[in-house]
Amino acid sequence: MKVQRRHLCLAAAGAALLPMLSACSTAARQLEAAPGVTYWSGRMSVQVLDSPPQSTSGSFELSGSPASGELVLLNPLGNIVARVQWSPGQASAQQGTQTRQASSLDELTQSLLGTSLPIAALFDWLQGKPTEAAGWQADLEAHSEGKILARRINPRPEASLRIVLDAR
């Protein structure tokens, strides 16, 4: 009898908390992509096996092309952690009130993540195209499920990029 009462109490408490938790959730943001501009969103993790190892993960929204675009990184509550924008000859990252400038997206991602990412190949990988990138190996076997895994072996330190795309 006591076990049944405990289960009923736990179920009632859970039911009471559910509306409060859903009220705290943040509606998914959407970048306003112009017609013909590519757009992806999901979760991303970058790990650099340096000493000490570095790891960055969170939700993302990506639009544009390798030549110019925008990457928005979000925390679990849906708040913007960083906004990265690039165009030929320049790249910038805004994190709160701080802005970092660089002459290229490679240089900027190197300073932000501890490794540069193969941006041109990344745009192709997101489309399921097995494009080669120097030192990187992409596993697109689970692309139809919205999953991408890429590893960089050279140059050291090794790095990995994992992406899980949102369902469209």
Side-chain angles (χ1 to χ4, degrees):
M1 187 71 167
K2 286 186 177 182
V3 172
Q4 285 181 335
R5 184 173 178 177
R6 180 188 291 174
H7 285 270
L8 285 173
C9 287
L10 288 173
L17 287 174
L18 190 59
M20 289 189 295
L21 289 174
S22 61
C24 293
S25 67
T26 304
R29 291 180 7 86
Q30 287 276 327
L31 286 173
E32 294 297 322
V37 173
T38 56
Y39 170 83
W40 294 275
S41 65
R43 293 181 317 277
M44 177 187 325
S45 168
V46 177
Q47 293 181 319
V48 180
L49 302 177
D50 207 351
S51 183
Q54 298 176 25
S55 182
T56 305
S57 63
S59 297
F60 76 94
E61 297 174 349
L62 173 66
S63 68
S65 69
S68 74
E70 180 177 58
L71 171 65
V72 177
L73 301 173
L74 306 140
N75 67 17
L77 297 176
N79 298 321
I80 296 175
V81 175
R83 180 183 305 272
V84 179
Q85 297 175 313
W86 65 93
S87 58
Q90 68 156 352
S92 67
Q94 184 174 355
Q95 295 175 293
T97 59
Q98 296 181 340
T99 301
R100 291 189 195 188
Q101 301 284 337
S103 61
S104 70
L105 188 54
D106 281 344
E107 181 183 319
L108 186 62
T109 58
Q110 177 70 43
S111 71
L112 289 173
L113 303 171
T115 186
S116 62
L117 297 176
I119 299 301
L122 175 60
F123 274 87
D124 284 349
W125 297 341
L126 289 165
Q127 296 176 48
K129 299 176 187 173
T131 300
E132 291 188 24
W136 287 84
Q137 297 173 342
D139 179 355
L140 302 179
E141 291 240 349
H143 182 269
S144 62
E145 300 164 25
K147 297 177 182 176
I148 297 169
L149 171 62
R151 288 195 169 103
R152 186 189 68 210
I153 309 302
N154 285 314
R156 298 257 184 221
E158 293 183 20
S160 68
L161 169 66
R162 295 177 189 273
I163 294 176
V164 178
L165 296 171
D166 289 339
R168 292 189 180 211

